[in-house]
Amino acid sequence: MDRYHILIVDDDMRLRRLLQQYLAENGFEVSEAPSADEAHLLMDLICFDLIVMDVMMPGTNGQDMVRMMRREGNQTPVLMLTAMGELDDRISGLEAGADDYLGKPFEPRELLLRIHSILKRTERKTEGDNILFGDCVFNSKTGLLLKGGQEMSLTGAESDLLRVLVENAGQPVSREDLGRLTGTDNARTVDVQITRLRKKVETDITHPVCIQTMRGQGYVLVVK
């Protein structure tokens, strides 16, 4: 099994390096970023399994970063680190979309336990929540697509596109947003990829049922 890849986002370089060393010693692959902006650039390149993020950082703070991630459809689990102990601050972070909170200072062992707990919850949710649409089943973690019980081969671009549609199931996603979230260079390319994806998931491509076009809004995945 591949190692989990964790991103540490904190403006404290000493803490980043200590956490990177500790988590690496405990079997994780670890990347780090000193700010939300640099973390965002890394997330465009790497699919992380979990993000450990400080709340108070120069520029974009941790809570705003999580809000932005969720708006963009990024559901990567986030563990927030904070020196603030007020209940309202913790609630605000959870409302923004964080999965858990850990107050500073903390014992590295507690951080490790919380990380394992979040990853286990995420695995159970993914395993139990396969997305059903038409006669297809798609698992966004593994990228496995089954149609009528038969495995369908997806290109990387098709898999990324389907993941975004799954994360926004039932809601239209514009061609521009699909392009931005999948790294596609233009809307026309998105249209071409949608056509190819429909050939793999639809029974009748001339009358698509699963991936529908919403005039003026984009594309929407219709799930059961």
Side-chain angles (χ1 to χ4, degrees), residues 90-179:
R90 297 198 299 272
I91 292 175
S92 295
L94 295 172
E95 289 177 342
D99 294 81
D100 200 356
Y101 248 87
L102 183 59
K104 295 180 179 179
F106 56 84
E107 289 292 330
R109 178 61 179 166
E110 182 179 1
L111 173 69
L112 186 63
L113 291 172
R114 287 178 182 259
I115 286 174
H116 282 303
S117 178
I118 293 173
L119 290 172
K120 287 180 181 178
R121 291 201 306 267
T122 303
E123 284 184 347
R124 286 198 297 269
K125 182 177 179 181
T126 302
E127 290 169 358
D129 290 346
N130 288 328
I131 298 296
L132 308 178
F133 54 95
D135 60 350
C136 296
V137 180
F138 180 69
N139 187 299
S140 60
K141 184 174 180 66
T142 64
L144 177 65
L145 174 67
L146 300 177
K147 182 180 181 182
Q150 298 296 315
E151 183 174 349
M152 304 296 292
S153 176
L154 295 177
T155 65
E158 291 166 350
S159 183
D160 289 342
L161 188 61
L162 189 51
R163 280 191 176 93
V164 175
L165 291 172
V166 163
E167 289 170 354
N168 295 274
Q171 301 294 325
V173 186
S174 70
R175 297 156 75 206
E176 292 75 18
D177 284 343
L178 284 170

Side-chain angles (χ1 to χ4, degrees), residues 27-54:
F28 293 98
E29 185 174 355
V30 185
S31 297
E32 59 172 286
S35 68
D37 290 339
E38 292 196 32
H40 197 275
L41 293 175
L42 282 175
M43 285 188 285
D44 285 340
L45 301 173
I46 302 171
C47 182
F48 294 101
D49 296 294
L50 184 142
I51 300 171
V52 177
M53 186 183 306
D54 189 27

